[in-house]
Amino acid sequence: IVGRDNRLHLYSHARGDDPEAICDSLRFLAAACSCKYVLFDHPGLTVFGLGSDNERIVLDALSTKSTMMARELGFALIIVSHVNDLGQTRGSRYIGKLCDLRIDLTRDTANANPDIRQTVYISVPYGRYCGNSGPVGAYRFDPWTQRYTEVAANDNDPHNPLRLNAA
Protein backbone atom coordinates (compact mmCIF):
# COMPACT_ATOMS: atom_id res chain seq x y z
CA ILE A 1 0.00 0.00 0.00
CA VAL A 2 2.74 2.45 0.95
CA GLY A 3 4.74 1.93 -2.22
CA ARG A 4 1.70 2.08 -4.44
CA ASP A 5 0.29 5.47 -3.50
CA ASN A 6 3.24 7.40 -2.00
CA ARG A 7 1.86 7.34 1.54
CA LEU A 8 5.32 7.09 3.10
CA HIS A 9 8.13 9.56 2.54
CA LEU A 10 11.58 8.97 4.02
CA TYR A 11 14.35 11.47 4.47
CA SER A 12 17.53 10.50 6.24
CA HIS A 13 19.47 13.37 7.74
CA ALA A 14 23.12 12.94 8.55
CA ARG A 15 25.21 14.16 11.42
CA GLY A 16 26.24 17.71 10.82
CA ASP A 17 23.40 18.54 8.41
CA ASP A 18 22.61 22.23 8.26
CA PRO A 19 19.60 22.96 10.52
CA GLU A 20 18.16 25.19 7.78
CA ALA A 21 18.25 22.23 5.37
CA ILE A 22 16.40 20.14 7.97
CA CYS A 23 13.72 22.83 8.28
CA ASP A 24 13.45 23.02 4.49
CA SER A 25 12.96 19.24 4.39
CA LEU A 26 10.26 19.40 7.08
CA ARG A 27 8.47 22.13 5.13
CA PHE A 28 8.72 20.09 1.91
CA LEU A 29 7.29 16.99 3.59
CA ALA A 30 4.36 18.92 5.07
CA ALA A 31 3.57 21.32 2.21
CA ALA A 32 4.55 19.49 -0.98
CA CYS A 33 4.00 15.88 0.11
CA SER A 34 0.94 16.61 2.31
CA CYS A 35 2.39 14.69 5.25
CA LYS A 36 0.19 15.03 8.32
CA TYR A 37 2.68 13.26 10.62
CA VAL A 38 6.43 13.80 10.50
CA LEU A 39 8.72 11.75 12.71
CA PHE A 40 11.98 13.55 13.50
CA ASP A 41 14.48 11.12 14.98
CA HIS A 42 16.82 12.55 16.54
CA PRO A 43 17.35 16.34 16.38
CA GLY A 44 20.47 16.15 18.53
CA LEU A 45 22.27 14.28 15.76
CA THR A 46 21.53 17.14 13.40
CA VAL A 47 23.75 19.57 15.26
CA PHE A 48 26.34 17.02 16.36
CA GLY A 49 29.55 17.59 14.47
CA LEU A 50 28.69 21.04 13.12
CA GLY A 51 31.79 22.36 14.77
CA SER A 52 29.72 24.90 16.66
CA ASP A 53 30.89 25.80 20.14
CA ASN A 54 27.32 26.03 21.29
CA GLU A 55 25.30 23.16 19.88
CA ARG A 56 22.54 23.78 22.45
CA ILE A 57 21.77 27.22 20.97
CA VAL A 58 21.56 25.75 17.46
CA LEU A 59 19.30 22.96 18.76
CA ASP A 60 17.11 25.50 20.63
CA ALA A 61 16.65 27.46 17.39
CA LEU A 62 15.89 24.29 15.40
CA SER A 63 13.34 23.18 18.00
CA THR A 64 11.61 26.55 18.04
CA LYS A 65 11.54 26.92 14.26
CA SER A 66 10.27 23.39 13.61
CA THR A 67 7.54 23.73 16.28
CA MET A 68 6.33 27.02 14.79
CA MET A 69 6.38 25.45 11.32
CA ALA A 70 4.28 22.49 12.49
CA ARG A 71 1.66 24.90 13.86
CA GLU A 72 1.77 27.07 10.74
CA LEU A 73 1.39 24.16 8.29
CA GLY A 74 -0.90 22.02 10.45
CA PHE A 75 1.09 18.82 10.74
CA ALA A 76 2.02 16.74 13.78
CA LEU A 77 5.74 16.86 14.45
CA ILE A 78 6.79 13.83 16.47
CA ILE A 79 10.26 14.33 17.89
CA VAL A 80 12.26 11.43 19.31
CA SER A 81 14.67 12.62 21.96
CA HIS A 82 16.71 10.85 24.57
CA VAL A 83 16.87 12.01 28.17
CA ASN A 84 19.71 12.37 30.62
CA ASP A 85 19.90 10.82 34.08
CA LEU A 86 17.63 13.56 35.44
CA GLY A 87 14.90 12.84 32.90
CA GLN A 88 15.58 16.05 30.96
CA THR A 89 15.82 16.04 27.18
CA ARG A 90 19.42 15.87 26.07
CA GLY A 91 21.02 18.83 24.35
CA SER A 92 18.15 21.31 24.43
CA ARG A 93 15.43 21.67 27.07
CA TYR A 94 13.29 23.48 24.49
CA ILE A 95 12.24 20.18 22.95
CA GLY A 96 10.43 19.29 26.18
CA LYS A 97 9.19 22.82 26.87
CA LEU A 98 7.75 23.58 23.43
CA CYS A 99 5.91 20.31 22.97
CA ASP A 100 2.13 20.01 23.21
CA LEU A 101 2.35 16.45 24.50
CA ARG A 102 5.27 14.59 26.00
CA ILE A 103 5.15 10.80 26.02
CA ASP A 104 7.86 8.96 27.94
CA LEU A 105 8.83 5.37 27.24
CA THR A 106 10.94 3.68 29.91
CA ARG A 107 12.33 0.21 30.39
CA ASP A 108 14.34 -1.43 33.19
CA THR A 109 17.05 -2.97 31.02
CA ALA A 110 19.17 -4.04 33.99
CA ASN A 111 16.49 -6.03 35.81
CA ALA A 112 17.24 -9.71 36.43
CA ASN A 113 13.64 -10.65 35.52
CA PRO A 114 13.38 -11.04 31.71
CA ASP A 115 9.66 -10.11 31.76
CA ILE A 116 10.47 -6.78 33.41
CA ARG A 117 13.41 -6.18 31.05
CA GLN A 118 11.10 -6.68 28.05
CA THR A 119 8.36 -4.36 29.37
CA VAL A 120 8.03 -0.79 28.11
CA TYR A 121 6.18 1.57 30.46
CA ILE A 122 4.38 4.52 28.89
CA SER A 123 3.58 7.72 30.76
CA VAL A 124 2.52 11.25 29.92
CA PRO A 125 4.30 13.76 32.17
CA TYR A 126 2.92 16.76 30.28
CA GLY A 127 -0.13 17.50 28.14
CA ARG A 128 -0.58 21.15 27.15
CA TYR A 129 -4.23 21.12 26.08
CA CYS A 130 -5.93 18.55 28.27
CA GLY A 131 -3.69 18.82 31.32
CA ASN A 132 -3.96 15.09 31.97
CA SER A 133 -0.78 13.33 32.97
CA GLY A 134 0.37 10.09 34.55
CA PRO A 135 0.88 6.45 33.66
CA VAL A 136 -0.75 5.29 30.43
CA GLY A 137 0.08 1.61 30.12
CA ALA A 138 2.73 -0.99 29.57
CA TYR A 139 3.60 -3.36 26.75
CA ARG A 140 5.77 -6.45 26.93
CA PHE A 141 7.88 -7.49 23.96
CA ASP A 142 7.86 -11.16 23.01
CA PRO A 143 11.15 -11.94 21.24
CA TRP A 144 9.70 -15.17 19.86
CA THR A 145 6.76 -13.54 18.03
CA GLN A 146 8.44 -10.10 17.66
CA ARG A 147 5.25 -8.46 18.97
CA TYR A 148 4.20 -6.32 21.89
CA THR A 149 1.22 -7.23 24.09
CA GLU A 150 -0.45 -5.00 26.65
CA VAL A 151 0.35 -5.68 30.30
CA ALA A 152 -2.56 -5.37 32.72
CA ALA A 153 -2.21 -3.03 35.71
CA ASN A 154 -1.66 -4.87 38.99
CA ASP A 155 -2.85 -3.01 42.10
CA ASN A 156 -1.15 -5.52 44.38
CA ASP A 157 2.37 -5.03 43.05
CA PRO A 158 4.01 -2.04 44.83
CA HIS A 159 6.76 -1.91 42.18
CA ASN A 160 4.36 -1.66 39.23
CA PRO A 161 4.09 2.00 38.12
CA LEU A 162 0.68 1.23 36.60
CA ARG A 163 -1.01 0.53 39.95
CA LEU A 164 -4.42 2.12 39.82
CA ASN A 165 -4.40 3.05 43.51
CA ALA A 166 -0.88 4.45 43.61
CA ALA A 167 -0.36 7.00 46.35
Side-chain angles (χ1 to χ4, degrees), residues 89-140:
T89 53
R90 291 179 120 176
S92 170
R93 304 293 174 262
Y94 270 47
I95 295 170
K97 291 178 181 178
L98 292 175
C99 68
D100 292 331
L101 178 68
R102 178 176 166 174
I103 301 171
D104 287 356
L105 305 175
T106 58
R107 197 165 61 102
D108 185 356
T109 58
N111 198 296
N113 183 331
D115 284 338
I116 294 174
R117 269 196 322 272
Q118 300 290 359
T119 301
V120 175
Y121 295 95
I122 305 168
S123 64
V124 174
Y126 176 75
R128 182 180 305 273
Y129 296 113
C130 66
N132 291 339
S133 61
V136 174
Y139 288 85
R140 184 170 296 121

Side-chain angles (χ1 to χ4, degrees), residues 51-98:
S52 171
D53 288 338
N54 206 340
E55 292 176 350
R56 185 195 57 80
I57 291 175
V58 175
L59 195 52
D60 285 352
L62 177 62
S63 300
T64 302
K65 189 170 184 176
S66 61
T67 299
M68 291 173 21
M69 184 186 315
R71 290 188 177 128
E72 171 196 340
L73 298 176
F75 68 95
L77 179 60
I78 303 162
I79 298 176
V80 177
S81 179
H82 296 275
V83 296
N84 62 19
D85 293 340
L86 300 174
Q88 300 169 325
T89 53
R90 291 179 120 176
S92 170
R93 304 293 174 262
Y94 270 47
I95 295 170
K97 291 178 181 178
L98 292 175

